[in-house]
Every structure is written in structure tokens, then in C-alpha cells.
């Protein structure tokens, strides 16, 4: 089995051949968020613009021996102003990525989703986790663990399509999608199973495109062929899932953290569906996780840029 360092390098490698992308780093006022941005710069992933209280950021850098020389710094008084200014930079086309620092997610997303000044598109915004789990033979994408709290069926359609498009952007040609629930049969008293059945039929009819969708599937059946066989489940997805769609933010968030802390998964978090990808990690996450998230966001952004160029050529 590869070491964690080797696995991280394998995750970073596809992004390192691309040109560094300009990124607004929003309120990086603690060691992990500032160090993560600087690591991403050192590896040639991003060209960071630090947006936040300059004195506070410089104090953090000095305290932890971090070098800010050569970086553009936009001095604003507090985290709310940092979120607004970073979003403005994206609207102006000065940056191609946003990177969350040490502010709350709802504060950053409030600026992103502001109707008049934000980064809304005709897509619904959602969060995806790209996960390298040592005991699983391929990357695993989990959604939505950070943005949509208790998504409706309509919202799940958008979340699922975002995840499929994200997987395709990262080179998974036809993603296999498991719609998670506690059981693998449709139960009228369990909304997650009803939603799963509808989503599968919508995929059959072309209303959700690009992936092979099945559900409801319990977590064990989604990722284990043996578990699916023991339960007599006949499915192209069971045991081979590329994408896991969780019923709600609580189940997705707990599953992501269990894989990270108990299964040694390397995680990368990105918000998709806005004008630019947003590197979104927990304030408790390490600089390594922020570096991994930057690499995945760069790959996704580069794919979008190529697709847009092809469309306009």
C-alpha cells in the first residue's frame, strides 16, 4: 500500500502540469489556511491574492515562519469585507478560484450567493468531496456535505448533475452513482428511498445525464461487491460507485469525517455551480487538505476553461 505522502503526490500530479491559476484567498488569518495557500503557490497550483486584514495576516505569517514576499495583499477590515471583495475579484475576472480561509462557510457563501453581487449561475450550488480512501480501489466523490442542509428532490437533481459533471471533468468517463439510504429497497416511509427511485428513473429518461445511477443503496452495497452479492442485489453500480449522493448534509458530513479520521482518507473539498470553483474546507482541516483541495479545484477549473474555449471556437 502506498504511503500517505505518495498518495498525496498522486492526487496532485495531474494538476501540476497546468499553469497556476489566480485565486482569491479569503481571510487566511490562521496558520493552516495561510500555510495551505502558500503550499499551493509553492507547488505551482495557484497564484494567491490574500484578501483580509493585512496586519493580522502578517502577524500569523511571522508567528509561524511563513513568507509573504511577492504576494498581492488586499487589506480589508474583517472577514465579511474579505468575502465581498474576493467575490468582486471573481466577478471582475481577476481570479479564477476562491479559496476559503479562516472564516465561517456561511459568511463566504452569503457573499457568493448574493443575488445582485454574487457569483450565481443557472446551476444550483453544491459541495463535492473528492476522497482518496486507501482501501477503495479508485477515487470516491461524496456530495453534499457542506452546503445543502436537507435538499429537496429538485435540489438533489442539481446536486447529482453537478457531481456527475465534476467527475467527468476529473477524467471519470461514465461515473457510477449510488444514491445512499439506510436500505436498498423503496420504503414509502423513508423519503431517501423514494427520492432515490425518482432520481434513477429521471436518469433513465435522460433528465440526469452522463452517469449510471442506481439506488437506493446502503453504503455497504454501494462500495462492496461482496455485500451486494450477499444481499442478492443485481446492479451495475453496487460495489463500484464513483459518486455517493447522501440524503442530507448530516449523513454526508459524518461519512466524510469518518473516512478522513478513521480510514485515513485524503479529502479535497470544492464548491461547484458558481461562476468560479470555490476551494472549501473545514476550519479544522490541515494545510495538506487545503493543498489537495486546491489541486482538485484547479483540475476542475481547467476542464471548464477548455470546454468553454471549445464551445466558442
Amino acid at each position: 500500500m502506498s504511503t500517505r505522502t505518495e498518495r498525496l503526490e498522486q492526487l496532485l500530479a495531474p494538476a501540476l502540469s497546468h499553469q497556476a491559476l489566480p485565486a482569491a484567498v479569503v481571510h487566511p488569518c490562521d496558520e493552516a489556511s495561510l500555510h495551505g495557500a502558500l503550499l499551493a503557490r509553492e507547488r505551482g497550483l495557484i497564484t494567491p491574492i490574500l484578501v483580509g486584514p493585512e496586519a493580522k495576516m502578517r502577524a500569523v505569517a511571522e508567528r509561524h515562519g511563513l513568507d509573504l514576499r511577492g504576494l498581492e495583499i488586499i487589506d480589508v477590515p474583517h472577514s465579511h469585507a474579505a468575502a465581498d471583495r474576493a467575490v468582486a475579484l471573481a466577478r471582475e475576472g481577476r481570479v479564477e478560484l476562491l479559496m476559503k480561509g479562516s472564516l465561517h462557510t456561511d459568511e463566504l457563501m452569503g457573499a457568493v450567493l448574493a443575488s445582485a453581487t454574487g457569483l450565481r449561475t443557472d446551476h444550483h450550488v453544491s459541495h463535492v468531496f473528492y476522497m482518496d480512501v486507501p482501501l477503495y480501489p479508485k477515487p470516491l466523490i461524496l456530495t453534499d456535505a457542506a452546503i445543502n442542509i436537507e435538499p429537496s428532490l429538485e435540489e438533489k437533481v442539481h446536486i447529482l448533475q453537478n457531481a456527475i459533471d465534476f467527475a467527468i471533468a476529473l477524467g471519470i468517463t461514465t461515473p457510477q452513482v449510488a444514491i445512499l439510504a439506510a436500505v436498498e429497497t423503496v420504503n414509502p416511509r423513508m423519503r431517501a428511498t423514494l427520492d432515490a427511485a425518482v432520481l434513477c428513473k429521471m436518469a433513465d429518461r435522460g433528465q440526469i445525464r452522463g452517469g449510471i445511477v442506481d439506488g437506493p443503496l446502503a453504503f455497504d452495497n454501494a462500495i462492496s461487491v461482496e455485500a451486494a452479492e450477499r444481499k442478492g442485489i443485481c446492479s451495475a453500480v453496487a460495489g463500484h460507485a464513483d459518486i455517493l449522493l447522501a440524503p442530507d448534509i448530516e449523513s454526508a458530513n459524518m461519512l466524510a469525517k469518518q473516512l478522513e479520521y478513521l480510514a485515513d482518507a485524503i479529502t479535497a473539498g470544492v464548491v461547484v455551480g458558481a461562476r468560479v470553483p470555490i476551494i472549501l474546507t473545514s476550519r479544522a482541516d490541515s494545510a495538506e487538505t487545503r493543498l489537495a483541495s486546491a489541486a482538485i479545484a484547479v483540475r476542475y477549473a481547467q476542464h471548464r476553461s477548455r470546454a468553454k474555449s471549445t464551445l466558442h471556437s
Side-chain angles (χ1 to χ4, degrees), residues 12 15-16 20-21 23 25 32-48 97 99 279 287-295 298:
L12 296 178
L16 298 178
L21 296 183
V25 186
S33 61
L34 189 55
H35 190 201
L38 296 179
L39 281 177
R41 179 186 65 163
E42 289 170 15
R43 299 305 300 269
L45 296 171
I46 65 171
T47 301
L97 297 168
M99 186 174 193
I279 302 161
E288 175 198 81
T289 297
R290 296 165 197 271
L291 175 62
S293 300
V298 164

Side-chain angles (χ1 to χ4, degrees), residues 236-247:
V237 173
H240 304 287
D242 298 296
I243 298 171
L244 304 176
L245 176 68

